[in-house]
Amino acid sequence: MKLRKIINGLIALSASLLFASCGTTVKQAAEPLPELAVTQLAPVARSADMPSEGVYYCIFVRSFADSNGDGIGDFKGIVKKLDYLNDGNDLTTDDLGVTGIWLLPIYPSQTYHGYDVDDYYSTNPDYGTMDDFQNLVNECRKRGISVILDMTCNHSSVYNQWFIDSRNPDDPHRTWYRWISADDSRYSINQQIWGHKVWNLYKGYYYAGLFGSSMPDYNLDDPALRQAFRNVMKFWLDKGVAGFRYDAAGHVYNSAKTPAGTNSVEKGVAWWKEITSYDRSVRADAFTVGEVWEPTSTRAQYIAGLGSDFHFDMGTKIVDEIRSGNAGNNSFANGLQGEYERYAESNPDYIDAPFLSNHDQNRIAGLLRGQVPQLKLAAAMYVFAEGVPFIYYGEEIGMMGAKPDEQLRTPMMWNKPGKDKLQTTWESSRYNKNTLTVAEQVKNPDSLLQFYKRIIRIKTAHPALYEGRFKAVNTGNEFVSSWAMECDTEKAFILHNLSSNSVTVNLPAGYNLPIVFTTYSGTAITSGGQLTIPPFCSAVLAGRK
């Protein structure tokens, strides 16, 4: 049996080398081929398997895949495209290889985006039935894909029965929302936020709506409401979801809607500690990540309750670094280390959640003008940073988009018009006339899509990369951004050449390790411990401790 495995491995390796000489990638192999994966797409043995490990992919269901031809994406459509995300087989290279998906809101709603929830216990009928959703979760489980749901605990829609009931001053739901009278001196009725009034008049009383009058804000001081949310979390966790992405997590006690003198951050953190602890009491390995679109100091405080925060501003810092073509005195890495140190002070067990852009931001491909070498560099810089990276759907093919929000959430581009029956059509894009589709990019081993497949495989194969801690390590070269990642069993050294010329650096003591990944061939280590890196190239060196 052992001999047969060795023979099969040699056969696979020979075939792979033949394919490589023809400029293609290995689609199926008998064994993982880590030596080949250094310079091209090849199968590797991936070990990240917890909901809080690996790489997540963000899906706007409406835009992803349409199974019934109505132009709107749905659960059945996602199921039919799951093998694109992860087919469950480490020996193939057709799939991206992500280990988790984050679904933007899936609940009934009057809006296209779904962040104003009508009913937390149902699914959006545009997306399918609860049985359809359950089947999606089951199919993801078969492939080793964790599913987390977007959850809004800050506000509901005005059509939510909880809010409808709360409009009656004598109803028990009244205290579930922030209702006040005009003469309540603790508040300013004329308070404004983001260009609109916070307080909205209804039959002589006012209710808070940070995000607009159609999204009334909850009063999380109410014990019955807190219990109601615990019930909601359990409902979905019992269906097999692995956790939640908590929307507007930094606003649940926003000072614009709370009585003067309230310590909004302290109360917010306490709430998130309560709900995430409950999540873990239902599912021990539940993964929770919060949207705290605030400076590092505030994110660090909230991470004590949430466990994980999205790393806002990392994407823009990466873009600035790449545009400048200069790493300075390793400034990007030094800055990251400082932020991680702040997180650790607040929560030693924090998990970072880096990303380039999301559904509320202009897409990264537009910011880098669609330049594939720079987009590859940006991808490697955040995927090989600490924590669990989140890929916004379409980012892996360089989809573009800019405000308004609908243009940030346009249909996934599977193929040219009429060539894919699962193509969604609910919205047209102003920005993607020249963007190459998935079907086009899979034919090119040097495409951005194929590159994403490579870096995801490396990230999920090396414990130092998916569970390690970050440390800025300077090579002394002004064009190279570099850092180390280290866990109990492995250490890695990651370098990015930001310039349009090859560079050679002296490897710092302790980091003369084997090359496990490089964007381009030509990366090499001399016997004297010098590393040469081609232009716009990322390299990962790693070894067991």
Side-chain angles (χ1 to χ4, degrees):
M1 189 69 177
K2 226 179 217 185
L3 180 59
R4 180 175 294 177
K5 280 184 85 176
I6 294 171
I7 292 171
N8 286 340
L10 291 172
I11 292 171
L13 179 59
S14 300
S16 301
L17 293 173
L18 176 61
F19 292 151
S21 68
C22 298
T24 60
T25 52
V26 183
K27 290 191 174 183
Q28 177 75 54
E31 295 287 336
L33 301 169
E35 295 85 2
L36 202 61
V38 173
T39 55
Q40 71 171 80
L41 178 58
V44 296
R46 291 168 281 185
S47 54
D49 59 2
M50 299 284 288
S52 57
E53 297 175 341
V55 178
Y56 274 73
Y57 188 88
C58 173
I59 294 178
F60 182 36
V61 180
R62 184 171 297 273
S63 286
F64 199 64
D66 170 22
S67 71
N68 60 9
D70 64 358
I72 295 172
D74 46 49
F75 301 132
K76 289 182 177 179
I78 298 175
V79 169
K80 291 184 177 181
K81 290 293 188 180
L82 279 181
D83 284 350
Y84 168 78
L85 298 174
N86 191 330
D87 62 11
N89 184 355
D90 284 358
L91 300 180
T92 62
T93 56
D94 292 323
D95 60 326
L96 270 176
V98 297
T99 59
I101 57 174
W102 154 32
L103 298 177
L104 271 60
I106 64 166
Y107 322 101
S109 173
Q110 306 300 309
T111 60
Y112 84 95
H113 55 74
Y115 280 99
D116 43 354
V117 177
D118 293 350
D119 180 3
Y120 289 97
Y121 291 100
S122 300
T123 58
N124 188 327
D126 286 345
Y127 297 168
T129 66
M130 188 64 77
D131 286 341
D132 295 334
F133 172 76
Q134 187 66 70
N135 183 58
L136 169 60
V137 173
N138 294 342
E139 290 299 319
C140 285
R141 186 183 296 114
K142 292 176 185 177
R143 293 164 174 80
I145 301 173
S146 299
V147 179
I148 65 172
L149 299 184
D150 220 315
M151 184 62 67
T152 59
C153 298
N154 181 72
H155 55 267
S156 73
S157 80
V158 291
Y159 300 97
N160 190 300
Q161 192 62 46
W162 295 350
F163 181 72
I164 293 171
D165 292 344
S166 82
R167 295 184 303 192
N168 177 354
D170 298 322
D171 190 278
H173 292 87
R174 183 72 165 186
T175 54
W176 288 27
Y177 291 85
R178 293 191 175 275
W179 286 97
I180 64 171
S181 59
D183 59 357
D184 193 329
S185 61
R186 298 173 301 165
Y187 304 90
S188 171
I189 293 300
N190 296 315
Q191 174 77 48
Q192 292 205 356
I193 189 169
W194 307 315
H196 64 263
K197 285 190 174 182
V198 171
W199 297 100
N200 304 278
L201 180 64
Y202 180 83
K203 292 187 176 181
Y205 292 90
Y206 293 83
Y207 66 88
L210 288 181
F211 293 95
S213 60
S214 65
M215 291 185 251
D217 283 22
Y218 290 116
N219 170 27
L220 288 171
D221 285 335
D222 188 277
L225 175 61
R226 293 170 93 103
Q227 181 58 52
F229 269 122
R230 286 194 288 272
N231 296 343
V232 168
M233 305 312 159
K234 187 175 190 306
F235 176 81
W236 292 105
L237 289 167
D238 285 348
K239 289 190 175 296
V241 306
F244 304 96
R245 176 267 188 187
Y246 287 116
D247 178 62
H251 295 300
V252 289
Y253 280 94
N254 189 295
S255 59
K257 64 183 180 185
T258 52
T262 300
N263 188 326
S264 300
V265 173
E266 183 179 281
K267 288 179 73 71
V269 170
W271 155 251
W272 291 121
K273 280 184 178 179
E274 177 182 324
I275 199 66
T276 59
S277 294
Y278 178 76
D279 292 339
R280 289 190 293 275
S281 75
V282 177
R283 176 170 177 159
D285 63 351
F287 177 47
T288 55
V289 55
E291 181 197 29
V292 183
W293 200 334
E294 301 290 344
T296 302
S297 58
T298 304
R299 290 202 308 269
Q301 293 179 76
Y302 274 95
I303 212 165
L306 288 157
S308 180
D309 287 344
F310 284 110
H311 202 129
F312 280 92
D313 301 329
M314 180 187 283
T316 54
K317 289 176 181 177
I318 288 173
V319 168
D320 291 343
E321 186 102 335
I322 291 173
R323 281 175 172 172
S324 74
N326 193 296
N329 189 29
N330 210 24
S331 58
F332 174 73
N334 290 333
L336 271 187
Q337 181 171 319
E339 292 179 317
Y340 292 143
E341 288 170 353
R342 292 292 299 275
Y343 289 173
E345 290 173 4
S346 179
N347 182 354
D349 298 319
Y350 76 90
I351 300 171
D352 195 28
F355 68 99
L356 287 179
S357 58
N358 67 15
H359 58 290
D360 290 322
Q361 299 172 307
N362 292 345
R363 282 184 175 268
I364 193 75
L367 299 179
L368 289 175
R369 299 180 180 178
Q371 299 174 89
V372 173
Q374 284 83 350
L375 287 171
K376 289 181 179 180
L377 194 56
M381 288 182 75
Y382 90 100
V383 168
F384 293 144
E386 187 179 313
V388 179
F390 280 74
I391 300 168
Y392 186 40
Y393 81 94
E395 199 166 73
E396 76 276 18
I397 59 170
M399 279 178 59
M400 297 188 180
K403 294 282 188 176
D405 285 352
E406 290 88 338
Q407 286 297 305
L408 307 175
R409 308 167 187 179
T410 52
M412 179 66 178
M413 298 175 63
W414 296 109
N415 207 333
K416 292 182 177 180
K419 296 288 188 180
D420 193 312
K421 293 180 180 179
L422 297 177
Q423 181 65 53
T424 62
T425 57
W426 74 276
E427 178 83 356
S428 298
S429 174
R430 305 173 193 169
Y431 301 99
N432 284 296
K433 291 180 181 178
N434 298 319
T435 303
L436 297 178
T437 65
V438 169
E440 293 170 295
Q441 293 200 29
V442 294
K443 299 174 183 177
N444 178 5
D446 296 322
S447 69
L448 183 61
L449 172 60
Q450 302 301 78
F451 181 77
Y452 264 90
K453 293 178 182 180
R454 292 185 60 208
I455 60 175
I456 292 169
R457 280 165 169 75
I458 297 300
K459 175 78 171 185
T460 56
H462 289 275
L465 298 180
Y466 66 76
E467 66 177 37
R469 289 302 193 199
F470 180 104
K471 178 184 177 183
V473 178
N474 195 353
T475 65
N477 188 298
E478 63 179 318
F479 300 112
V480 175
S481 182
S482 56
W483 58 82
M485 294 284 292
E486 189 168 336
C487 66
D488 290 341
T489 60
E490 187 184 42
K491 66 177 180 178
F493 189 41
I494 299 96
L495 307 94
H496 310 277
N497 178 7
L498 305 174
S499 77
S500 56
N501 299 305
S502 291
V503 297
T504 299
V505 299
N506 293 313
L507 290 172
Y511 295 108
N512 190 348
L513 304 165
I515 301 172
V516 298
F517 172 88
T518 176
T519 308
Y520 307 108
S521 59
T523 303
I525 300 175
T526 68
S527 57
Q530 289 187 318
L531 178 71
T532 298
I533 319 172
F536 304 121
C537 180
S538 299
V540 178
L541 287 59
R544 304 287 292 181
K545 292 173 70 175

